[in-house]
Amino acid sequence: MSDPVAHVREGLARLAALAPEAPVPSPCNDVCRIDGASGLCQGCLRTIDEIAAWGSLGEAGRRVVWARLGERADKLAATPRGSAPRSSP
C-alpha cells in the first residue's frame, strides 16, 4: 500500500525545487480512494472538494492545497497507527 505521508513529503520537496513560474504538479498518485472516516484520499490526502477543484485552480491555489497536504501529512505522522485525522479545511 502507498504511504501518503511519504508521498506528500516527497511532492513538497519537488515543489520547493521548482522555479516559481513552473506549473504546480498534481499530488495525485493514482490511488484515488476516499477514506470514509477522514474524508481524505488514501493516496494524496486531498479532500474530494480539493480533488474536484484542482483543474480550475490557479498555480497559487494549487500551492495552497500542497501546503494543506503538508499539514495533514504532519498530523497523520503524529497520529497513532489505526486512527486517521479528520480532514482540515
Side-chain angles (χ1 to χ4, degrees):
M1 179 150 191
S2 167
D3 178 1
V5 171
H7 170 71
V8 167
R9 289 180 175 166
E10 290 165 9
L12 285 169
R14 286 190 305 273
L15 184 61
L18 290 177
E21 67 278 0
V24 176
S26 171
C28 183
N29 61 355
D30 297 324
V31 172
C32 306
R33 284 189 306 267
I34 300 297
D35 178 80
S38 69
L40 301 176
C41 175
Q42 293 175 352
C44 68
L45 302 181
R46 288 184 292 173
T47 65
I48 194 72
D49 290 339
E50 290 166 338
I51 293 167
W54 186 262
S56 63
L57 291 174
E59 300 306 304
R62 290 176 177 190
R63 288 181 186 274
V64 168
V65 171
W66 270 107
R68 288 184 195 142
L69 298 181
E71 293 168 4
R72 290 180 195 142
D74 290 345
K75 285 182 185 177
L76 186 59
T79 302
R81 290 188 74 80
S83 61
R86 295 283 177 202
S87 63
S88 58

